[in-house]
Amino acid sequence: MRVAIVGGGIAGALLAWRAARAPGGAAVDLFTDGTGGRADASRVSGGLVRGFEPTVAATGPAAESLAEIRGSDVLREWSGYRETGALYVLPAGADAREPAAVVDAYLPGSAEIVGRDGVIGAFPFRTLPADSVAVVERHAGHISPHRLRTAALRAAAGAGVTVHEAPVGEVTRDPAVRTADGRTLRYDRVVVAAGAWTPKLLARSRLPVAGLRTKHIQYSLCEAPLEGLGPFVDENSGLYGRPHEDGGFLLGLPSDRWGVDPDTMAPDEALARRVAESARRVFGVPVAVGRTVASCDCYHDPAGLELRSLGPGLHTFTGGSGGAAKTVVAASRKAAAALLA
Ligand SMILES: Cc1cc2nc3c(=O)[nH]c(=O)nc-3n(C[C@H](O)[C@H](O)[C@H](O)COP(=O)(O)OP(=O)(O)OC[C@H]3O[C@@H](n4cnc5c(N)ncnc54)[C@H](O)[C@@H]3O)c2cc1C
């Protein structure tokens, strides 16, 4: 089977690697943008990985991916996995038991549900709404998605994948790929895994954008005395973050900028100021904002990186919605199996 994959982020790279190693072995052509240095989502991603998500549907692929990374010397090395634990704080009244049970099935003994006072006692939160609940995970931390993508691309090439450093101009329903230099190449399967560039490429190809859209994501590297706090999400304030290798703390808040152009991303300074204000209020410490990193991702409702059909032989593999670093290991295995079935 001849397969073309468009995009060399974590989604395209891991799918190419999985497809080339599958029984029967597909002949895979992977098309990257050829720039080598673009600030795609996989390059700037915060790389937080944990098993727990607020829904069972989202927890499954995250916990499965993390279990596979932890259980594999190769994936631990490729991804640069650092196990620091994780904290996920939910609003009052949320029920964490079902997703926490899913985490437990993949990562036994990792997740513990704690109440508001447990969070305030163990982590540097000054304030949390009454009746908040949280999930503390032992087996969680962060990876480097860029390092994972680079290693997967190298391994894919070693497994026989042909990497074309040539941007794709259009995809067609044949299915085929038209490279920007005018060649038309036909395949049995074509997969668009171009992250936030996917809607643009589909529109340029006069294909339905199929519910995919882009959204701004940014975080700021801050100076803040947050000893004892590892990777965290606080749904009450919206804050998320993790300690950064350079000694600072990476902090972010969700953006509401939809439909952004991935080629013209710039920091939202007002959002960066809100991050500092919110962190000062929640943690009660001084917070100084340094560099802000802005990029975007491809979103889908329901959220999740998965293979979606656009017609016979033509698919997308995107829609990670700001969270595919967590799920790509499991999602790429499932997608390769479905693609080659
Ligand atoms: C700032 C930020 C922080 C994040 N933090 C986290 C986190 O902590 N945890 C988590 O789980 N997730 C996080 N994410 C989300 C996660 O990083 C993304 O979901 C994931 O990296 C998306 O990978 P991708 O391969 O789909 O897209 P990308 O990494 O964007 O890759 C798409 C690739 O396709 C290429 N391409 C585009 N058009 C073409 C074309 N025409 N021809 C050839 N190639 C093309 C692009 O150049 C790019 O290299 C974060 C994202 C951002 C932006």
Side-chain angles (χ1 to χ4, degrees):
M1 186 184 288
R2 284 175 46 77
V3 174
I5 298 171
V6 183
I10 44 174
L14 277 146
L15 181 61
W17 174 65
R18 299 278 200 197
R21 285 166 27 112
V28 181
D29 282 0
L30 175 69
F31 295 85
T32 70
D33 60 39
T35 66
R38 198 182 237 180
D40 59 15
S42 301
R43 182 172 292 265
V44 301
S45 177
L48 274 76
V49 290
R50 60 179 177 267
F52 181 82
E53 289 288 300
T55 65
V56 166
T59 300
E64 191 182 344
S65 283
L66 184 50
E68 188 170 342
I69 291 173
R70 293 187 76 251
S72 156
D73 290 344
V74 169
L75 289 175
R76 275 207 316 273
E77 163 60 26
W78 285 8
S79 66
Y81 175 61
R82 293 278 174 276
E83 186 152 294
T84 54
L87 169 71
Y88 198 113
V89 188
L90 295 146
D95 188 349
R97 284 173 299 182
E98 277 193 58
V102 175
V103 178
D104 209 53
Y106 286 103
L107 300 153
S110 178
E112 186 190 351
I113 299 175
V114 298
R116 175 188 180 277
D117 295 347
V119 176
I120 290 190
F123 301 97
F125 279 75
R126 186 180 66 170
T127 166
L128 274 180
D131 299 327
S132 310
V133 278
V135 175
V136 178
E137 286 174 82
R138 283 200 304 138
H139 303 316
H142 65 92
I143 62 167
S144 162
H146 177 56
R147 178 174 158 155
L148 175 59
R149 166 258 296 279
T150 306
L153 283 176
R154 197 176 304 122
V161 171
T162 305
V163 180
H164 301 261
E165 294 195 350
V168 165
E170 278 181 36
V171 291
T172 72
R173 288 196 182 276
D174 296 317
V177 155
R178 283 208 190 105
T179 55
D181 60 11
R183 289 174 297 152
T184 298
L185 307 166
R186 291 197 160 69
Y187 295 90
D188 301 304
R189 306 274 188 275
V190 169
V191 183
V192 181
W197 287 267
T198 303
K200 246 179 150 172
L201 177 55
L202 295 178
R204 197 160 69 226
S205 307
R206 295 167 300 283
L207 288 165
V209 176
L212 297 166
R213 52 190 188 141
T214 59
K215 190 182 175 195
H216 180 104
I217 306 178
Q218 73 175 36
Y219 55 76
S220 300
L221 299 170
C222 301
E223 290 302 322
L226 293 172
E227 287 81 19
L229 188 63
F232 78 97
V233 175
D234 172 24
E235 282 202 359
N236 298 290
S237 61
L239 281 170
Y240 60 86
R242 70 165 170 86
H244 194 255
E245 293 73 21
D246 69 6
F249 214 97
L250 179 165
L251 287 171
L253 276 174
S255 161
D256 57 4
R257 290 189 178 180
W258 289 95
V260 293
D261 179 349
D263 289 314
T264 58
M265 296 307 302
D268 176 344
E269 301 298 347
L271 182 60
R273 281 195 296 278
R274 285 206 298 282
V275 165
E277 285 157 18
S278 187
R280 280 184 208 115
R281 192 178 63 249
V282 170
F283 300 114
V285 297
V287 177
V289 173
R291 187 165 64 93
T292 292
V293 175
S295 184
C296 58
D297 200 6
C298 189
Y299 281 66
H300 187 269
D301 186 10
L305 176 65
E306 61 182 70
L307 197 70
R308 295 182 174 90
S309 175
L310 287 177
L314 186 57
H315 305 266
T316 59
F317 184 52
T318 184
S321 307
K326 279 188 260 336
T327 60
V328 67
V329 167
S332 59
R333 184 161 21 76
K334 194 173 160 195
L339 188 67
L340 305 180

